Amino acid sequence: MAPTHDHPGEQAAQDPIRLLEIRETPLSVDEIFRAVGDDAAGGTALFVGTVRNHDGGQDVGALGYSCHPSAQDEMRRVAEKVVAEFPVRALAAVHRVGELKVGDLAVVVAVSCPHRAEAFAACRKLIDDLKHEVPIWKHQRFSDGTEEWVGAC
């Protein structure tokens, strides 16, 4: 392992991408947080996306996520870009598919870096790029009977 800075404790991790999954089962913040634990990380940033009860001024009655078969590969590509751009010690991202209800966790991502500013920036890039580049679609059904499909994530 090559050192990333001057301190031996800052050696590069073997594989900073610790957990990437798309699943139909409920998500766990604790699982994601544990996955990015690293003794050389001084900052860990975590983002949790939940199903809210409204969107665009309408009450959401039901919501489902589906994905393209390439979604897992695209998620890895996005994660690899974040690892290449930031000094990531550990990274994890899990997105849920299937039928969800208000309050359910839809996506949880976390990044550990040597410092907090890097962790915040890397986590922000990770969730923003996942939302825009990974083919996961949201099907919202509103309480007035209307519905809409929302592009990636």
Side-chain angles (χ1 to χ4, degrees), residues 28-59:
S28 164
V29 171
D30 290 338
E31 175 192 18
I32 307 307
F33 184 70
R34 280 192 308 271
V36 297
D38 190 288
D39 289 344
T44 299
L46 185 128
F47 172 81
V48 179
T50 58
V51 176
R52 61 181 179 265
N53 66 0
H54 69 283
D55 190 32
Q58 294 183 286
D59 292 334

Side-chain angles (χ1 to χ4, degrees), residues 89-153:
R89 299 293 308 170
L91 177 149
V94 181
H95 202 296
R96 184 136 177 232
V97 293
E99 294 300 312
L100 283 75
K101 62 184 187 301
V102 171
D104 283 348
L105 305 183
V107 60
V108 181
V109 302
V111 179
S112 293
C113 292
H115 304 284
R116 74 175 172 273
E118 299 157 342
F120 278 126
C123 190
R124 174 81 184 244
K125 178 149 183 68
L126 177 60
I127 189 59
D128 287 350
D129 288 358
L130 284 176
K131 184 171 177 76
H132 293 104
E133 298 178 27
V134 178
I136 298 173
W137 305 286
K138 178 169 58 173
H139 183 207
Q140 296 187 117
R141 293 173 298 284
F142 300 105
S143 54
D144 68 1
T146 61
E147 59 184 55
E148 75 174 346
W149 283 93
V150 180
C153 280

Side-chain angles (χ1 to χ4, degrees), residues 19-96:
L19 174 63
L20 288 177
E21 286 187 13
I22 297 171
R23 37 171 101 140
E24 294 181 14
T25 57
L27 307 183
S28 164
V29 171
D30 290 338
E31 175 192 18
I32 307 307
F33 184 70
R34 280 192 308 271
V36 297
D38 190 288
D39 289 344
T44 299
L46 185 128
F47 172 81
V48 179
T50 58
V51 176
R52 61 181 179 265
N53 66 0
H54 69 283
D55 190 32
Q58 294 183 286
D59 292 334
V60 173
L63 182 142
Y65 285 97
S66 60
C67 67
H68 188 273
S70 69
Q72 185 80 32
D73 292 336
E74 289 302 308
M75 186 181 270
R76 174 154 292 277
R77 186 185 59 75
V78 166
E80 288 170 351
K81 280 190 341 185
V82 171
V83 167
E85 185 174 336
F86 296 92
V88 172
R89 299 293 308 170
L91 177 149
V94 181
H95 202 296
R96 184 136 177 232

